[in-house]
Amino acid sequence: MPQSLRRIQLTLTIIFLTGLLAFPVSASAAPPIRIQMIGDSTMATYKNPPKDRPDMTGWGQIFDAYFTDEVIILNRAASGRSSSSFIREGRWKKALKEKPDYLFIQFGHNDCPGKGDRETDPATTYQQYLKQYIDEARAANIKPILVTPMTRRRFENGQIITILRPYADAMLKVGKEKNVPVIDLHQKSVALFNQLGDAGSNDFSPSKSDRTHFSRKGALEIARLVAEEIPATVPKLKPYLKQPTPKKD
């Protein structure tokens, strides 16, 4: 090969390598992943919301707003389900077959006293069901992430009152025992609502009487609380988050 041709090839190679260094691999080059979500009505997707609450939105419904296009959200949360009934109805078995990469688990609202056969005890059965989700997810090579149930918007003397803290504490306990990441959405939501107050968070609800579920604005803010914890709690998901975090509506 002539010396001049070799010089041209070497020059082209240097230009090509320089171009690669000038444009490093970005987060968008990360391999696509699938995130599945299981939980109750606060997380669920509402394709046909109630007529009296047309803006009702689950935080899982709009969770993808905080991720890049390399993430597919599989929201399998269902209204009215508890940690026990989701399994008993066969929903968990069906969800497992999808074999997502990550699994976000949030139950508690329908596990509370007064929910009939859906009720669980935070000291015993609730933890047992959470461990079942974790063990069976891991057996299927799915990475579980626990999310404590957010508080309802119920105030007394200007401060949030909640009956869900025992379930949040139980979930934190299970997370520590099983070495599973836990996002304490309960604590974060209590802090947020106490900061905003009843009037300041009024538009987070889909109606004046509904203090459990969320409007689209409320759901986006709850989802934000979860997304903000991901870099520290599940660092491998950080490259998939939009930067900066989208502003609320």
Side-chain angles (χ1 to χ4, degrees):
M1 179 183 293
Q3 190 71 22
S4 59
L5 184 58
R6 287 180 179 176
R7 288 199 195 96
I8 292 173
Q9 286 184 328
L10 179 60
T11 301
L12 290 174
T13 300
I14 293 172
I15 292 173
F16 176 74
L17 292 175
T18 302
L20 288 179
L21 291 174
F23 299 97
V25 176
S26 65
S28 62
I33 60 167
R34 297 157 77 236
I35 295 176
Q36 188 184 77
M37 310 180 75
I38 60 172
D40 54 37
S41 59
T42 60
M43 182 193 267
T45 295
Y46 295 93
K47 294 181 180 179
N48 298 297
K51 291 183 179 180
D52 62 333
R53 290 166 290 171
D55 194 33
M56 191 159 83
T57 308
W59 70 267
Q61 183 175 344
I62 44 75
F63 198 38
D64 60 352
Y66 297 95
F67 290 94
T68 64
D69 293 339
E70 285 68 43
V71 174
I72 298 172
I73 300 292
L74 306 171
N75 190 13
R76 304 303 178 234
S79 180
R81 272 62 189 188
S82 69
S83 62
S84 63
S85 67
F86 197 87
I87 292 174
R88 189 168 59 249
E89 295 176 0
R91 294 175 181 272
W92 171 231
K93 184 177 181 180
K94 185 177 179 180
L96 261 179
K97 292 180 180 179
E98 293 187 304
K99 295 186 179 299
D101 299 290
Y102 291 86
L103 170 70
F104 281 69
I105 306 165
Q106 181 214 258
F107 289 104
H109 290 85
N110 298 303
D111 290 75
C112 290
K115 296 295 184 177
D117 63 355
R118 296 175 293 171
E119 179 182 335
T120 62
D121 179 359
T124 56
T125 50
Y126 180 66
Q127 295 185 39
Q128 291 166 14
Y129 285 118
L130 291 179
K131 290 175 183 178
Q132 180 178 344
Y133 289 120
I134 292 167
D135 291 342
E136 293 181 1
R138 283 174 164 169
N141 294 318
I142 302 166
K143 301 175 183 65
I145 296 141
L146 299 172
V147 183
T148 63
M150 81 292 295
T151 183
R152 295 178 174 90
R153 286 189 56 258
R154 293 179 179 170
F155 291 82
E156 185 175 284
N157 298 322
Q159 295 292 300
I160 283 289
I161 55 172
T162 177
I163 62 171
L164 285 159
R165 189 69 245 179
Y167 291 90
D169 289 340
M171 187 175 276
L172 287 165
K173 180 175 181 289
V174 169
K176 185 175 182 180
E177 289 180 2
K178 304 292 286 185
N179 193 29
V180 173
V182 184
I183 295 175
D184 195 353
L185 180 57
H186 186 270
Q187 182 183 44
K188 289 179 70 67
S189 61
V190 168
L192 176 65
F193 294 151
N194 278 338
Q195 176 187 351
L196 296 175
D198 194 355
S201 60
N202 184 58
D203 58 356
F204 282 18
S205 294
S207 70
K208 291 182 178 180
S209 60
D210 188 342
R211 290 179 171 268
T212 297
H213 304 99
F214 299 98
S215 62
R216 176 175 173 79
K217 179 178 180 179
L220 280 167
E221 193 62 16
I222 293 298
R224 177 195 296 279
L225 295 181
V226 177
E228 287 177 346
E229 291 298 304
I230 286 176
T233 309
V234 196
K236 287 187 177 180
L237 283 179
K238 183 179 178 181
Y240 297 93
L241 290 169
K242 288 181 180 177
Q243 301 295 335
T245 304
K247 298 298 183 183
K248 59 186 179 182
D249 285 0

